[in-house]
């Protein structure tokens, strides 16, 4: 994550309360948020939160110095509780078919300077799903599309001149991976931060909550195998099905289900 993206994500987590006017306007420019010059700082802060898909924040009234000194600030992080049962997790659709119900990522793709009139970048595909991401706008995208965008790289060639020990110069090719897009990563969409990022993450969570499917009967194990697109022989024993599912999820079934993912 770039320094700008990191500062923006950190500021958003703090509801932009620590950001001064100059920084607020800089963030507004990054997120393509329009505002009147006379807009209040707190109103602008909520405009930025809205652009990131976050809830508006009710900022307290201004305090004088004595009130600030007397105020007892809470210490420590708020614990995360997702409150999802294995059944809730199982019902989530994390496949390319249908509406994505997993975690999402907030990103912005900047319009290329050399192409000021360029339209949206090409459509990104994941299985049967397709998504076009507009330029200069913070959007919430499913994690598989986020992975597709950030891994959209090409190798850029540069040449350097080297001189050998016998004083003969020659060119050496150097390849560097470069992302095709000017990407700003704004962190997880906070409304989905408790959700799994992939089907593998989904079923690994269920595995951890159920003792590696210890109490699952054959019917449930077969359903799991089908969801993971595993081929299971008709005469396979329950333990074999369970081991195949766990192996697919990255557990080493030969070593007591140690995590090898």
């Amino acid at each position: 994550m770039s320094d700008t993206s990191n500062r923006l994500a950190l500021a958003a987590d703090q509801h932009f309360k620590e950001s001064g006017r100059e920084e607020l306007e800089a963030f507004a420019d990054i997120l393509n948020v329009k505002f009147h010059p006379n807009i209040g700082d707190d109103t602008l802060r909520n405009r930025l939160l809205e652009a990131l898909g976050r809830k508006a924040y009710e900022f307290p009234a201004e305090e004088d110095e004595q009130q600030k000194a007397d105020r007892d600030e809470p210490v420590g992080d708020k614990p995360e509780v997702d409150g999802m049962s294995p059944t809730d997790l199982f019902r989530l659709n994390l496949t390319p078919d249908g509406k994505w119900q997993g975690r999402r990522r907030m990103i912005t793709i900047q319009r290329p300077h050399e192409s000021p009139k360029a339209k949206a970048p090409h459509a990104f595909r994941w299985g049967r799903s397709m998504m076009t991401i507009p330029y200069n706008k913070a959007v919430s995208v499913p994690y598989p599309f986020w992975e597709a965008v950030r891994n959209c790289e090409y190798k850029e060639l540069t040449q350097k001149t080297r001189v050998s020990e016998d004083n003969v110069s020659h060119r050496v090719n150097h390849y560097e991976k470069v992302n095709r897009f000017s990407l700003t990563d704004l962190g997880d969409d906070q409304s989905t931060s408790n959700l799994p990022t992939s089907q593998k993450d989904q079923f690994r969570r269920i595995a951890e909550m159920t003792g590696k499917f210890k109490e699952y009967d054959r019917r449930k194990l077969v359903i799991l195998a089908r969801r993971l697109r595993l081929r299971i022989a008709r005469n396979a024993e329950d333990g074999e099905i369970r081991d195949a599912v766990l192996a697919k999820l990255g557990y080493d079934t030969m070593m007591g289900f140690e995590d090898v993912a």
Side-chain angles (χ1 to χ4, degrees):
M1 186 184 293
S2 67
D3 289 341
T4 301
S5 301
N6 192 48
R7 285 193 300 109
L8 179 54
L10 180 60
D13 288 341
Q14 299 173 341
H15 306 293
F16 298 102
K17 290 186 292 186
E18 305 301 322
S19 300
R21 182 70 183 196
E22 184 176 345
E23 188 172 46
L24 289 172
E25 293 185 358
F27 288 152
D29 184 55
I30 293 172
L31 298 175
N32 198 30
V33 172
K34 307 299 182 184
F35 61 92
H36 190 277
N38 295 332
I39 190 174
D41 289 357
D42 288 345
T43 303
L44 181 54
R45 290 184 174 101
N46 273 327
R47 290 271 186 92
L48 296 176
L49 291 171
E50 182 181 353
L52 293 171
R54 304 192 183 193
K55 294 181 179 179
Y57 180 78
E58 186 175 345
F59 292 96
E62 280 295 318
E63 301 174 313
D64 59 31
E65 292 303 318
Q66 184 58 48
Q67 287 174 315
K68 290 180 181 179
D70 293 340
R71 180 159 46 90
D72 182 18
E73 290 287 350
V75 178
D77 296 328
K78 183 180 179 180
E80 293 184 3
V81 179
D82 60 23
M84 299 189 74
S85 68
T87 301
D88 294 333
L89 283 167
F90 188 82
R91 288 173 177 170
L92 296 175
N93 178 36
L94 285 97
T95 71
D97 302 319
K99 184 179 179 182
W100 172 260
Q101 294 178 319
R103 194 181 309 181
R104 304 174 72 92
R105 195 82 171 181
M106 297 295 302
I107 64 172
T108 299
I109 297 179
Q110 302 298 329
R111 190 187 307 276
H113 295 297
E114 64 275 13
S115 305
K117 295 184 179 180
K119 296 182 180 180
H122 74 273
F124 294 94
R125 290 184 178 276
W126 176 55
R128 297 180 182 179
S129 298
M130 183 175 70
M131 183 176 191
T132 300
I133 302 175
Y135 284 127
N136 299 348
K137 183 178 180 181
V139 291
S140 176
V141 302
Y143 246 68
F145 285 100
W146 148 240
E147 296 288 352
V149 175
R150 71 170 181 164
N151 292 320
C152 193
E153 299 175 328
Y154 65 93
K155 290 183 178 180
E156 188 173 69
L157 170 64
T158 57
Q159 291 186 322
K160 295 183 178 181
T161 301
R162 298 284 175 84
V163 179
S164 63
E165 293 181 357
D166 52 0
N167 205 31
V168 176
S169 62
H170 61 281
R171 290 185 175 277
V172 177
N173 292 337
H174 175 71
Y175 294 92
E176 181 179 1
K177 286 186 177 181
V178 179
N179 194 287
R180 179 177 176 182
F181 304 105
S182 179
L183 176 67
T184 301
D185 175 20
L186 304 171
D188 287 345
D189 183 331
Q190 292 300 299
S191 64
T192 65
S193 60
N194 66 315
L195 299 174
T197 60
S198 65
Q199 190 177 62
K200 183 177 181 179
D201 181 21
Q202 175 187 25
F203 287 115
R204 282 178 66 87
R205 292 191 188 195
I206 297 174
E208 295 299 325
M209 297 169 72
T210 60
K212 309 293 190 304
F213 312 117
K214 184 177 181 180
E215 303 298 328
Y216 274 33
D217 59 23
R218 185 179 185 84
R219 183 183 66 85
K220 288 184 177 180
L221 290 171
V222 169
I223 291 174
L224 278 174
R226 287 175 178 171
R227 287 282 292 270
L228 292 170
R229 298 186 177 182
L230 285 172
R231 284 192 170 188
I232 302 297
R234 287 191 175 185
N235 61 348
E237 296 182 359
D238 294 2
E240 292 177 315
I241 302 175
R242 178 168 170 263
D243 285 355
V245 168
L246 291 169
K248 179 74 172 182
L249 296 178
Y251 293 100
D252 186 349
T253 57
M254 302 298 293
M255 298 296 292
F257 305 133
E258 290 184 8
D259 188 354
V260 296

